[in-house]
Amino acid sequence: MTAPSWFRKVRFEVPCTVEVEHTHESLHAHVELRGDPVIGPGDEVIVLGEPIEVPFGERAVLQRRATVVRATRAEELWTRLTGGFEFMELLEFSFTSGRRL
């Protein structure tokens, strides 16, 4: 594993397995990186290849490559400092009774 740099981004490619399910029971996509590289705060994982489209009722497991982009030391520290305040931005809730408001 490479230590983060203050200014230069470190990039490397790894093989990965992508699982996408689009069924009544579940709608999810999971990526498993081979070699289990440690992904830290601020790091990016970019799955390479064409967009994956799975029709309703189906599940797909594909072998792809992914690029891991390590955060710079400054980005890692910023993510650690601000991450706790921004987690609610990942959530979206909608509660409606089906009636028109």
Side-chain angles (χ1 to χ4, degrees), residues 18-91:
V18 180
E19 176 193 338
V20 180
E21 185 172 336
H22 186 190
T23 64
H24 179 67
E25 293 81 26
S26 181
L27 175 60
H28 70 263
H30 297 285
V31 176
E32 184 176 331
L33 303 175
R34 257 186 252 139
D36 294 324
V38 176
I39 304 301
D43 290 351
E44 298 177 53
V45 176
I46 303 164
V47 176
L48 306 174
E50 295 296 317
I52 300 170
E53 295 185 25
V54 177
F56 182 76
E58 295 186 21
R59 175 180 176 265
V61 178
L62 305 162
Q63 301 303 311
R64 295 279 178 98
R65 292 199 62 78
T67 300
V68 177
V69 182
R70 293 277 185 226
T72 63
R73 186 72 176 144
E75 290 170 330
E76 179 185 344
L77 291 172
W78 179 253
T79 302
R80 287 182 186 276
L81 288 171
T82 63
F85 300 113
E86 296 178 6
F87 79 95
M88 289 301 289
E89 291 180 20
L90 298 173
L91 304 175

